[in-house]
Amino acid sequence: MNEFALIERFFADPAAHEPPPSWLRLGIGDDAALLAEENGWETAITCDTLVEGRHFLAGTDPEALGWKALAVNLSDLAAMGAVPTGFLLALTLPEADEPWLTAFARGLFACARRHGARLVGGDTTRGPRALTITALGRVPAGEAILRSGARAGDDLWVSGQPGRAALGLAVRLGALPSTLPGAREWIDALDRPEPRLALGCRLRGLAHAMLDVSDGLLGDLRHLLERSAPPFLTAEIEVARLPLDPLVAGGAPPERARAALLSGGDDYELLFTAAPESRDQILLLGRELGLPLSRIGRLVPATAHPMVLIEPDGRRTLPEVLGYDHFCACKEYP
Amino acid sequence: MNEFALIERFFADPAAHEPPPSWLRLGIGDDAALLAEENGWETAITCDTLVEGRHFLAGTDPEALGWKALAVNLSDLAAMGAVPTGFLLALTLPEADEPWLTAFARGLFACARRHGARLVGGDTTRGPRALTITALGRVPAGEAILRSGARAGDDLWVSGQPGRAALGLAVRLGALPSTLPGAREWIDALDRPEPRLALGCRLRGLAHAMLDVSDGLLGDLRHLLERSAPPFLTAEIEVARLPLDPLVAGGAPPERARAALLSGGDDYELLFTAAPESRDQILLLGRELGLPLSRIGRLVPATAHPMVLIEPDGRRTLPEVLGYDHFCACKEYP
């Protein structure tokens, strides 16, 4: 049973068959919930927990952790097209370690300041090291980009360079040499992910569906497909269009680079779909933001398989690894 | 260093000297933050973490835990005078134990339904058992009851029967016999606290300052006094006015009943201050709600001690135990 099944099975709202309250625009199941503000805006709200030993290694640099804990939550807002406002921090620590707290706060507030998010509340308690951040944002009413809006014929796009964080983790765990030319960049991507907030906002009105890649490109693509309306969709990914070259140029063995790009978690790039008519506009937007945007495939009416890889030689293959599940740990690095 | 010092020292917002953003009405330091909605309402938002072994015992009935986890967060909304809307659940579990999850969800949704709160999002992850709930509510703009509004001359009031949860814990740990007449009621108070939401709303315009008693009456009273504006206040508590009789009638030894009432945490009653002119109206409100409201003392201009007990014989004593601190565990039961 995976994380999503857990939530859906046990926490299906028993009031779901009743009319939703007027303040609730979108509940469980997307990157964030949407609450109506009745003033032309909606509040986007999301929370994520990071547990030591699962989402970060024991001994992780606390400054990097502070940054990342907030960044991953802001990434969920980016995936809705929302602008961050405030956040709450629930911090559980084995002891009140002052140097640790100082460094953690430095990283946290660096990310907060960079992205305009304000700490508005929280809780501190003793226990096994873990933290939950609840992030709030705003999006013009009706303009949030949901997971559920994908259509047959849409192009499939991904921002930036997915795969770097997984390679960075492999370097940190000693599975790849730290002397590789890409090692520093990969570790930076792992430690200080950049939520794609500017991109998310600018894709309002352009993207039909969007989510952020936290569990691996294929795993999160599956979540997007599962949310699409009947008669459902299949994603065809053109391997030749994947941004593999920069990873290989950084020294990653090609097979490892491919696995990292398709299945490595923790990159927090945006995966989105859009009409083919929007291609030029999207490429222009990427250039404007200085962020490569790769058109990696398209969505077609559902076939026997939800995802198909079209290899450079034209063969069609099925992906094997479907992304990282934080609850089941279906996959382990290295 | 206690929980509150931790938050204030390390997580003092480095942007605090800048003008607050227009959406932020009240940040860190009260029971909940307040966000402007620009439509005549404010959103109250709060989060609390419960960690196994600290906030609840290993082996705690999961249904009771589900109820309580939400109830303690709704209590923070009650303490602002807010009405609950939605909540997010971040759940960390050592394994996907179906009977546990089923019972936990049952308790959680029972509390949600009783108080009109809707689950809007969350996260599930594997790790040492803990949960963080973020609760949202609404209050008419400008009408939230803050910790900071106490004035010299105010009466000091507490709702219901503080002390029951601490006695319930003593029974559960075997420090008091489970055959005492009050044992069942005390354990119910520990397991299924009732957030005082109706009272909180009705006290808008009547109470000058309010918080909920989670860490013990004296400990939380201290937080309220610390928030009052200069020249600061001292609380005089009249021991003869404390609702001790029901605890003693339930079989608690008088000294233990007094300690539980003054210093026991986990009751989630509301502690508030109001003008003496409002006494009749408050007593009437208590009768209307079927909830005893005790006027236990008053606030005077600051003296050498922030809190003084006036014993039944007129002697003035200083309280010894100042409440439970979840981070320092200054106090242990039994």
Side-chain angles (χ1 to χ4, degrees):
Chain A
M1 187 166 55
N2 73 20
E3 177 179 11
F4 304 91
L6 255 184
I7 291 172
E8 287 174 10
R9 278 186 54 191
F10 294 98
F11 299 107
D13 189 344
H17 61 281
E18 298 170 10
S22 63
W23 53 265
L24 182 61
R25 291 279 168 81
L26 182 71
I28 291 176
D30 217 298
D31 294 288
L34 293 172
L35 316 181
E37 293 188 32
E38 295 166 21
N39 59 359
W41 291 87
E42 286 168 4
T43 295
I45 184 163
T46 180
C47 76
D48 264 312
T49 298
L50 302 183
V51 177
E52 185 173 79
R54 176 142 300 257
H55 304 89
F56 60 94
L57 303 171
T60 291
D61 169 33
E63 184 167 351
L65 182 63
W67 174 285
K68 185 164 178 171
L70 182 56
V72 304
N73 278 281
L74 298 184
S75 178
D76 280 320
L77 298 179
M80 303 296 284
V83 175
T85 52
F87 67 101
L88 295 91
L89 168 69
L91 185 59
T92 303
L93 297 174
E95 73 277 314
D97 173 340
E98 295 202 24
W100 193 96
L101 278 161
T102 303
F104 178 85
R106 194 186 311 126
L108 181 83
F109 284 120
C111 185
R113 178 161 284 255
R114 177 167 167 82
H115 295 292
R118 189 92 170 224
L119 180 66
V120 300
D123 189 25
T124 314
T125 191
R126 188 193 292 271
R129 198 181 313 269
L131 48 127
T132 298
I133 286 183
T134 302
L136 296 132
R138 278 183 155 184
V139 60
E143 295 188 24
I145 306 166
L146 311 188
R147 295 184 174 190
S148 56
R151 307 169 198 171
D154 275 1
D155 292 329
L156 185 64
W157 296 80
V158 70
S159 69
Q161 183 58 67
R164 294 186 304 175
L167 294 173
L169 184 61
V171 171
R172 179 155 285 154
L173 295 177
L176 284 176
S178 62
T179 51
L180 291 179
R184 171 50 37 204
E185 179 195 339
W186 301 337
I187 283 182
D188 277 354
L190 176 69
D191 284 348
R192 286 177 65 96
E194 279 290 353
R196 302 303 189 191
L197 287 155
L199 176 63
C201 288
R202 296 291 298 278
L203 285 171
R204 288 184 211 142
L206 273 177
H208 292 164
M210 182 156 68
L211 45 53
D212 69 324
V213 181
S214 56
D215 297 337
L217 197 153
L218 294 177
D220 284 309
L221 175 56
R222 185 184 52 176
H223 300 146
L224 188 146
L225 295 171
E226 286 167 356
R227 292 273 159 193
S228 69
F232 306 114
L233 301 167
T234 283
E236 295 181 341
I237 296 170
E238 296 178 62
V239 173
R241 291 190 155 277
L242 295 173
L244 272 167
D245 288 353
L247 300 180
V248 175
E255 275 310 301
R256 180 151 216 149
R258 174 175 164 151
L261 195 154
L262 287 174
S263 309
D266 252 9
D267 278 305
Y268 304 97
E269 297 293 354
L270 294 180
L271 182 68
F272 58 97
T273 82
E277 297 73 40
S278 303
R279 283 178 192 172
D280 288 349
Q281 208 177 337
I282 290 170
L283 290 172
L284 194 65
L285 174 59
R287 280 198 291 279
E288 199 183 316
L289 296 173
L291 179 67
L293 300 178
S294 303
R295 178 163 59 81
I296 61 171
R298 64 188 191 124
L299 303 181
V300 299
T303 63
H305 303 287
M307 291 179 274
V308 175
L309 299 177
I310 301 176
E311 303 292 340
D313 62 7
R315 278 184 307 122
R316 298 167 79 87
T317 62
L318 297 178
E320 282 175 14
V321 184
L322 285 179
Y324 184 81
D325 185 305
H326 292 295
F327 203 86
C328 295
C330 304
K331 202 177 53 168
E332 299 291 343
Y333 284 108
Chain B
M1 187 166 55
N2 72 19
E3 177 180 11
F4 303 93
L6 254 185
I7 291 172
E8 287 176 10
R9 277 187 55 190
F10 294 98
F11 297 107
D13 190 343
H17 61 282
E18 298 169 12
S22 64
W23 53 266
L24 183 59
R25 291 278 168 83
L26 182 72
I28 291 176
D30 217 298
D31 294 288
L34 292 173
L35 316 181
E37 293 189 33
E38 294 166 20
N39 59 0
W41 291 87
E42 287 167 6
T43 295
I45 184 165
T46 180
C47 76
D48 265 310
T49 297
L50 301 184
V51 177
E52 185 174 79
R54 176 141 300 257
H55 304 88
F56 60 94
L57 303 171
T60 291
D61 169 32
E63 184 168 351
L65 182 63
W67 174 285
K68 185 164 178 171
L70 182 57
V72 304
N73 278 281
L74 299 184
S75 178
D76 281 320
L77 298 179
M80 304 296 283
V83 176
T85 52
F87 67 101
L88 295 92
L89 168 69
L91 184 60
T92 303
L93 296 175
E95 74 277 316
D97 173 341
E98 296 201 25
W100 193 96
L101 278 161
T102 303
F104 177 85
R106 194 187 311 126
L108 181 83
F109 284 120
C111 184
R113 177 161 285 257
R114 176 166 167 83
H115 296 291
R118 189 91 171 224
L119 181 66
V120 301
D123 190 23
T124 314
T125 191
R126 187 193 292 271
R129 198 182 312 268
L131 49 125
T132 298
I133 285 183
T134 302
L136 295 132
R138 277 184 156 185
V139 60
E143 294 189 25
I145 305 168
L146 311 187
R147 294 184 174 190
S148 56
R151 306 169 199 171
D154 275 2
D155 291 329
L156 186 64
W157 295 80
V158 70
S159 69
Q161 183 58 66
R164 294 187 303 175
L167 294 173
L169 185 60
V171 170
R172 179 154 286 154
L173 295 176
L176 285 177
S178 62
T179 50
L180 291 179
R184 171 51 38 205
E185 179 195 339
W186 302 338
I187 283 182
D188 277 353
L190 176 69
D191 284 348
R192 287 178 64 98
E194 278 290 353
R196 302 302 189 191
L197 287 155
L199 176 64
C201 288
R202 296 290 298 277
L203 285 172
R204 288 183 211 142
L206 274 178
H208 292 164
M210 183 156 68
L211 44 53
D212 69 323
V213 181
S214 56
D215 296 338
L217 197 154
L218 294 177
D220 284 307
L221 175 56
R222 184 183 54 176
H223 300 146
L224 188 146
L225 295 172
E226 286 167 355
R227 291 272 158 194
S228 70
F232 305 114
L233 301 168
T234 283
E236 294 181 342
I237 297 171
E238 296 178 61
V239 173
R241 291 189 156 278
L242 295 173
L244 273 167
D245 288 352
L247 301 181
V248 175
E255 274 310 300
R256 181 149 215 150
R258 174 174 164 151
L261 195 156
L262 287 174
S263 310
D266 253 9
D267 277 305
Y268 305 97
E269 296 293 353
L270 293 180
L271 182 68
F272 59 98
T273 82
E277 297 72 41
S278 303
R279 284 178 192 171
D280 288 349
Q281 208 176 338
I282 290 170
L283 289 172
L284 194 66
L285 175 59
R287 281 197 290 278
E288 199 182 316
L289 296 173
L291 179 65
L293 300 177
S294 303
R295 178 163 60 82
I296 62 171
R298 61 188 193 125
L299 303 182
V300 299
T303 63
H305 302 287
M307 289 179 276
V308 175
L309 299 177
I310 301 175
E311 302 293 340
D313 62 8
R315 277 182 309 120
R316 297 168 78 88
T317 61
L318 298 178
E320 282 175 15
V321 183
L322 286 178
Y324 183 81
D325 185 305
H326 292 297
F327 202 85
C328 293
C330 304
K331 203 178 51 167
E332 298 291 343
Y333 285 106

